Amino acid sequence: MNGPLDFTLGLGDDALIAAQRLAEWTTRAPEMEEDIALTNIALDQLGAARLLLSYAGELEGAGRDEDALAYLRDDRQFRNVLLVELPNGDFAVTMAKLFFLAAYQLPLYTALAGCADERLAAIGAKARKESAYHLDHGALWVKRLGDGTEESHRRMQAAVDQVWPYTHELFAADPAAPVDPATLRSAFDDSVGPVLAEATLTRPESRWAPVGGRTGVHTEHLSYLLAEMQVLHRAHPGAKW
């Protein structure tokens, strides 16, 4: 296995699938302002995905560009964590996913900005600024829903309980990677803990911890997502627009 390639591909797939999921909220968010915010966050993730997948294609050396990696791989060839492929669910679930992912991506990209790989460092320096906004936005909604009405609190706690087990995969140790994800756990906990407390939400106990995404073993949800995302490219291969 190629450590830098697998690492870069995994991060690119995380961002790509997160972007696709968030884009599903376009025209469906509960407020017009939120509709625009989620679309912008999706575009941020897509921008990071393009940079990472382009670099992954270069590291692979097989002539595949960002489009080939995005549209011409099957689900078993994707290396994203399971968290990002989970269905959006209700708005609380989406906010839990966004908050937890940003609480991981911000220290990740910050660490990448100081790594020895110049390409990854440049990507990290750009993406960390966007991730800081994603974290603030997710935290705002987690607190707003958690410490809101009885119904919003119930939904936000249920969302946290549902999504939490999937956060553990984010920190699987990879000492050969430019940044070992295991070293990011404390920063994640430092971001998440105070927000959950202010939101009057209970942090779930760590028990079941599903994994497999980094090795290509995914939930059934990814196949459906890819079928929709890839259909046009596969139906008209090589088309120019």
Side-chain angles (χ1 to χ4, degrees):
M1 296 179 66
N2 184 321
L5 171 58
D6 292 336
F7 177 80
T8 304
L9 190 61
L11 300 192
D13 287 346
D14 287 346
L16 177 66
I17 303 305
Q20 183 71 9
R21 278 294 185 223
L22 286 171
E24 295 173 3
W25 276 102
T26 304
T27 74
R28 294 178 172 85
E31 301 173 353
M32 184 179 296
E33 184 177 358
E34 188 60 23
D35 200 297
I36 296 170
L38 288 178
T39 300
N40 284 333
I41 293 172
L43 287 172
D44 287 343
Q45 292 283 11
L46 184 60
R50 292 190 63 189
L51 294 172
L52 289 161
L53 292 179
S54 292
Y55 187 39
E58 295 176 25
L59 291 173
E60 182 186 46
R64 295 197 290 183
D65 61 8
E66 62 187 88
D67 287 338
L69 289 172
Y71 297 121
L72 298 177
R73 285 182 295 155
D74 296 325
D75 59 340
R76 285 301 184 101
Q77 297 172 305
F78 274 75
R79 295 295 180 262
N80 58 276
V81 291
L82 303 180
L83 171 68
V84 296
E85 69 195 48
L86 297 177
N88 285 329
D90 64 14
F91 189 69
V93 171
T94 293
M95 286 302 106
K97 289 176 57 184
L98 172 62
F99 175 56
F100 292 147
L101 180 63
Y104 155 75
Q105 285 183 326
L106 178 56
L108 167 69
Y109 289 137
T110 299
L112 270 187
C115 79
D117 187 309
E118 293 184 358
R119 286 284 293 279
L120 287 177
I123 294 171
K126 178 181 184 301
R128 68 179 174 182
K129 301 173 185 176
E130 298 164 348
S131 293
Y133 164 69
H134 303 170
L135 181 61
D136 287 344
H137 190 80
L140 175 67
W141 275 107
V142 169
K143 290 184 285 188
R144 182 176 176 182
L145 295 174
D147 195 27
T149 66
E150 181 179 346
E151 176 64 10
S152 71
H153 175 86
R154 181 189 68 79
R155 285 175 176 260
M156 195 66 244
Q157 184 65 63
V160 169
D161 292 343
Q162 176 184 334
V163 176
W164 183 260
Y166 294 89
T167 63
H168 303 299
E169 186 181 21
L170 297 168
F171 307 103
D174 185 4
V179 172
D180 186 350
T183 64
L184 307 174
R185 182 75 207 214
S186 61
F188 173 88
D189 290 336
D190 289 344
S191 293
V192 168
V195 172
L196 293 182
E198 186 175 344
T200 69
L201 297 169
T202 301
R203 173 173 169 159
E205 295 183 11
S206 298
R207 294 179 179 174
W208 179 56
V211 296
R214 291 296 191 221
T215 56
V217 181
H218 296 279
T219 68
E220 63 178 357
H221 308 299
L222 182 62
S223 296
Y224 290 105
L225 182 150
L226 293 179
E228 180 177 357
M229 187 182 80
Q230 297 176 340
V231 60
L232 184 62
H233 188 95
R234 289 180 180 252
H236 303 282
K240 303 294 183 181
W241 305 94

